[in-house]
Amino acid sequence: MTETTAEHDVVAIGCGPFNLGLAALASTVDELDLVVLEERPEFTWHRGMMFGDASMQVNFLADLVTLVAPWHPLSFLAYLHDMDRLYAFTVRENFFPSRREYEDYLRWAAARLPGVRFSHRVEEVRWDGDEERFDVAVARGDGTRLRLRTRHLVIGIGTAPHVPEALAGLPEDRLLHTSDYLFRARDVERAGKVTVVGSGQSGAEVAVDLLTRNLDGGPAVSWLTRTGSWAPLDYTKMNLELTTPAYMRYFHSLPQEVRDRLVGEQWQFYKGVSTDTLEEIHELLYRRQLEHGLADVELRFGIAVEDAAVGSDGQTVLTCRHLDTGQRFEHVTDLVVAATGYRNRPPSFLGPVEELIDRDGRGRPLIHADHSVGLAEGVTGRIFVANAEIHAYGVSSPNLDIGAVRNATILNAITGREVYRLPKRSAFTRFEAPGQGAPDRR
């Protein structure tokens, strides 16, 4: 089959909200030729957790572009205006869109960006030192093979659902990850008892759904988590100073061992549960007291699940440990929902350039202040990353509200000029020691 060759300034791999935002901001930079490649046939976003009333945890200003370009034609407000919902959204007086509406906004934006190409699977990336270009081998959905040549890459392939080793041995019909929860609704309906393992926002939203089903005569529910309490997300305003671009610059300036310690200490930014969801759970539990004959509900924190298997009687058995006392016990259920989060996916297509990537003592890519990866001497192109740099920029790296700033930083670095002005005073708190001065703002 004939291979088609094309030249681009930037090839972005993966089309989630971050690379979609990169394409949106790049669309108003006339001299920049940027394409986004996505192996899926269309844009989708967390469909397995798209509950009808699920709300975003960031407000509408944290869209693809507004925090660096409020005038941009692909803002959330422009979307509302195009859909003739802007006035109704104003009267609603709730600046947190539903997840369903936010996904519809992202699909609306993708449809207006000709450089976003679906059904394009990247198979391999190589560096051509003679031409000073990356060669990107692509297989299109119709069988066509492409060879794209580009000076720069942006990797934004997102994260993959993580199932810990303790649960991984369960057969598929006994285990599902929260990312597939709504796709496995029939399995949930058929189960006599469903156990959620892990907390966080996803686990809590599944617990809400299961408790609602339980009130309607549905299955028994257990919720087990190893955290020491039903901890809320700490989104108080002064603590959100730690999610600002100012703090991210400061964080990046710290020694790696200090960064790793801080990531562990700041877990409530991403492992907690919104207070609204916790209140909803409490309300559902309170309402159960007024009913009779419902299947049991059990909530336990401080529980580690250490093993899982299907017993001789056909039941799913979890071997658990009570962390406060060390006592071990068995927990019997029909179906396990793993609310165990996501992990970064090592991109296999970067295999041919792996030896060119600089790494820290724990094998992670070294990330520069402009979100590019450290590369071997002589490699003049750059590889940028989106949502793969918690170890370099802290726990706010996956947040949607940092996406526009990161993308503007990347575009400024690629073009060598300030095509988008970056925020210079995003926090009231001063993070560095007195007299130290602010870290590099690049």
Side-chain angles (χ1 to χ4, degrees), residues 17 40 43-56 97-107 177-185 201-202 205-206 209 213 342 400:
R40 295 173 299 175
F43 188 95
T44 60
W45 190 63
H46 296 304
R47 289 282 176 87
M49 287 290 291
M50 196 67 74
F51 295 108
D53 59 350
S55 175
M56 298 292 294
S98 69
R99 281 194 207 142
R100 184 169 296 178
E101 184 173 36
Y102 194 79
E103 187 203 39
D104 192 62
Y105 157 64
L106 297 176
R107 290 169 64 87
H177 190 271
T178 51
S179 59
D180 287 328
Y181 182 75
L182 293 179
F183 301 136
R184 299 278 298 275
Q201 185 64 24
S202 295
E205 290 179 9
V206 168
D209 183 73
R213 292 172 184 266
Y342 298 79
L400 290 174

Side-chain angles (χ1 to χ4, degrees), residues 319-362:
T319 302
C320 304
R321 180 165 53 92
H322 187 262
L323 293 177
D324 287 344
T325 63
Q327 179 180 340
R328 283 178 165 79
F329 62 95
E330 290 188 343
H331 175 86
V332 178
T333 189
D334 295 316
L335 181 66
V336 176
V337 180
T340 47
Y342 298 79
R343 296 291 186 274
N344 285 324
R345 296 184 288 176
S348 60
F349 53 78
L350 288 182
V353 297
E354 276 292 326
E355 62 184 16
L356 302 178
I357 297 175
D358 296 331
R359 297 186 179 275
D360 66 15
R362 295 175 60 178

Side-chain angles (χ1 to χ4, degrees), residues 16 68 70 109 170 181 281 295 428:
V68 295
L170 288 177
Y181 182 75
I281 289 171
F428 296 113

Side-chain angles (χ1 to χ4, degrees), residues 123-183:
E123 297 184 324
E124 188 177 77
V125 171
R126 293 184 178 274
W127 171 249
D128 184 340
D130 294 333
E131 298 293 329
E132 297 188 322
R133 294 289 185 274
F134 290 102
D135 279 341
V136 183
V138 181
R140 220 165 63 175
D142 61 3
T144 304
R145 305 194 70 80
L146 307 176
R147 181 183 177 217
L148 305 184
R149 297 172 60 78
T150 181
R151 184 69 182 274
H152 305 294
L153 296 172
V154 182
I155 311 300
I157 60 174
T159 53
H162 171 70
V163 175
E165 185 178 349
L167 297 176
L170 288 177
E172 185 177 342
D173 63 338
R174 305 297 181 94
L175 174 69
L176 65 96
H177 190 271
T178 51
S179 59
D180 287 328
Y181 182 75
L182 293 179
F183 301 136

Side-chain angles (χ1 to χ4, degrees), residues 15-241:
C15 187
F18 293 134
N19 271 352
L20 184 60
L22 181 72
L25 289 177
S27 68
T28 55
V29 182
D30 292 337
E31 72 274 18
L32 190 64
D33 178 7
L34 180 147
V35 295
V36 178
L37 308 179
E38 169 57 52
E39 64 179 341
R40 295 173 299 175
E42 63 175 345
F43 188 95
T44 60
W45 190 63
H46 296 304
R47 289 282 176 87
M49 287 290 291
M50 196 67 74
F51 295 108
D53 59 350
S55 175
M56 298 292 294
Q57 291 171 273
V58 293
N59 67 49
F60 74 95
L61 294 175
D63 61 12
L64 298 175
V65 295
T66 294
L67 289 177
V68 295
W71 45 263
H72 202 282
L74 293 179
S75 69
F76 185 77
L77 289 181
Y79 155 78
L80 289 175
H81 183 266
D82 193 46
M83 296 292 143
D84 197 21
R85 290 206 305 272
L86 182 55
Y87 192 85
F89 184 81
T90 302
V91 174
R92 179 175 178 249
E93 292 188 344
N94 180 347
F95 288 167
F96 294 83
S98 69
R99 281 194 207 142
R100 184 169 296 178
E101 184 173 36
Y102 194 79
E103 187 203 39
D104 192 62
Y105 157 64
L106 297 176
R107 290 169 64 87
W108 171 86
R112 283 153 178 77
L113 292 166
V116 175
R117 301 173 183 178
F118 294 97
S119 298
H120 281 62
R121 180 169 56 87
V122 174
E123 297 184 324
E124 188 177 77
V125 171
R126 293 184 178 274
W127 171 249
D128 184 340
D130 294 333
E131 298 293 329
E132 297 188 322
R133 294 289 185 274
F134 290 102
D135 279 341
V136 183
V138 181
R140 220 165 63 175
D142 61 3
T144 304
R145 305 194 70 80
L146 307 176
R147 181 183 177 217
L148 305 184
R149 297 172 60 78
T150 181
R151 184 69 182 274
H152 305 294
L153 296 172
V154 182
I155 311 300
I157 60 174
T159 53
H162 171 70
V163 175
E165 185 178 349
L167 297 176
L170 288 177
E172 185 177 342
D173 63 338
R174 305 297 181 94
L175 174 69
L176 65 96
H177 190 271
T178 51
S179 59
D180 287 328
Y181 182 75
L182 293 179
F183 301 136
R184 299 278 298 275
R186 289 188 177 181
D187 292 336
V188 174
E189 292 167 1
R190 285 194 292 260
K193 181 177 181 179
V194 182
T195 297
V196 181
V197 175
S199 53
Q201 185 64 24
S202 295
E205 290 179 9
V206 168
V208 167
D209 183 73
L210 290 172
L211 289 171
T212 303
R213 292 172 184 266
N214 179 270
L215 270 169
D216 291 334
V221 179
S222 289
W223 188 13
L224 311 177
T225 179
R226 66 180 300 132
T227 56
S229 66
W230 304 114
L233 286 167
D234 193 344
Y235 278 7
T236 51
K237 287 181 171 59
M238 290 308 295
N239 212 41
L240 285 176
E241 296 268 285

Side-chain angles (χ1 to χ4, degrees), residues 428-441:
F428 296 113
T429 306
R430 298 180 183 181
F431 304 109
E432 58 277 349
Q436 180 184 1
D440 186 359
R441 294 185 182 276

Side-chain angles (χ1 to χ4, degrees), residues 293-437:
L294 298 177
D296 289 342
V297 166
E298 172 191 24
L299 279 70
R300 295 183 186 275
F301 56 69
I303 303 296
V305 177
E306 299 183 331
D307 193 20
V310 178
S312 58
D313 57 359
Q315 291 184 302
T316 302
V317 181
L318 306 182
T319 302
C320 304
R321 180 165 53 92
H322 187 262
L323 293 177
D324 287 344
T325 63
Q327 179 180 340
R328 283 178 165 79
F329 62 95
E330 290 188 343
H331 175 86
V332 178
T333 189
D334 295 316
L335 181 66
V336 176
V337 180
T340 47
Y342 298 79
R343 296 291 186 274
N344 285 324
R345 296 184 288 176
S348 60
F349 53 78
L350 288 182
V353 297
E354 276 292 326
E355 62 184 16
L356 302 178
I357 297 175
D358 296 331
R359 297 186 179 275
D360 66 15
R362 295 175 60 178
R364 301 168 299 195
L366 288 174
I367 309 295
H368 295 315
D370 61 4
H371 299 276
S372 66
V373 175
L375 297 175
E377 186 177 352
V379 179
T380 56
R382 280 181 284 185
I383 300 175
F384 298 87
V385 292
N387 190 15
E389 73 275 48
I390 284 179
H391 65 287
Y393 270 102
V395 295
S396 59
S397 294
N399 289 4
L400 290 174
D401 53 5
I402 205 64
V405 174
R406 174 170 48 210
N407 286 332
T409 302
I410 291 172
L411 291 174
N412 289 353
I414 287 171
T415 59
R417 61 187 179 87
E418 191 179 64
V419 292
Y420 288 104
R421 190 181 70 189
L422 298 173
K424 294 180 173 60
R425 292 183 297 274
S426 56
F428 296 113
T429 306
R430 298 180 183 181
F431 304 109
E432 58 277 349
Q436 180 184 1

